[in-house]
Amino acid sequence: FLLPLLAAWGPRVSGVLRAPRRRWPVPYRRFDYRPKTDPYCQARYTFCPTGSAIPVMKAEDVIEVYRLQAPVWEFKYGDLLGHLKIMHDAVGFRSSLTGKNYTMEWYELFQLGNCTFPHLRPGIAAPFWCNQGAACFYEGIDDAHWKENGTLVLVTTISGTMFNKMAQWVKYDNETGIYYETWTVQASPDKQSTVWFDSYECSKFILRTYQKLADLGAVFKKIQTNYTSIILFSGEPIYLGNETSIFGPLGNKTLAAAIRDFYSPFKPHQTVREFFVDLVRIIDRVILNHQFYLFYNLEYWFLPMKFPYVKIIYEEVPLPVGSKESFGV
């Protein structure tokens, strides 16, 4: 069940679109509505196939909240990606009044590759992006999926009133935060280094949900919680423009060609030989020539890449602190 309605193509950014100020990290933009998806964009696995509406809970209900985490594509590859700490996050709920369980998560409509890299379509000058992410809510918790190779642990208990307020927030968050952003981009591996861009993916939705519950008065248990981030390391990014200013009739043809050339090795459905040839091209551009073109908030940026270039980390992010006085269960 896709919470936001899919409206006509062409999101309007709230406010006037200008070249971004040099504020770091660049804030993730929220949009007025969700654009209609192009039929060209097809997912190998259907988004949220058993989804349902979020129920309205009775105020006196006591609802258990569970942290859910499992390796990405665990249903297909088991714990393989878990060894690389590439994990997917979700949140579970259990109603004490009805005994029903529910799962809520946020992920890509067209799988990770389409959200991370564009298609270069014949006859279309600009790279074509199949990129949206959304929340999915459905009845039940697949205990085997989350427990076998991952995590299923109680983190807090909330009232039915708090759950209903959270559901209202989820609707707003889902209607305005519509694009998946794979990469975190920062200046160095140091914990205090400058973050240029922050990712917007499944774990960030769970962290936002936990924070909302804390704001509503939830008291979280003191347990360690870790999340996966894919980080690019770069010097200060250079703003290049948007699709119109680069690829439009009055655009920069040299820059447009450079961006298309950069993305060309990242195409899907390759033979083994094509994969290794393109892998060499990627290494040449990103590592040897220190180049990366990032598409963020519908705008293009140049990243002057730095060692160690890219890293997958699995770092602790503490659960938020709630207020016992406002808990009210």
Side-chain angles (χ1 to χ4, degrees), residues 69-72 77-88 149 227-230 311-315:
Q69 188 176 72
V72 170
Y77 298 116
D79 194 31
L80 177 62
L81 295 178
H83 292 296
L84 300 175
K85 298 300 183 184
I86 302 177
M87 308 295 284
H88 173 66
N149 296 310
Y227 302 90
T228 301
S229 292
I230 305 177
K311 188 176 183 180
I312 298 173
I313 65 169
Y314 187 65
E315 65 178 355

Side-chain angles (χ1 to χ4, degrees), residues 84-105:
L84 300 175
K85 298 300 183 184
I86 302 177
M87 308 295 284
H88 173 66
D89 298 272
V91 59
F93 303 96
R94 181 183 182 276
S95 165
S96 297
L97 284 181
T98 67
K100 290 184 177 181
N101 298 325
Y102 303 93
T103 300
M104 184 171 72
E105 50 192 326

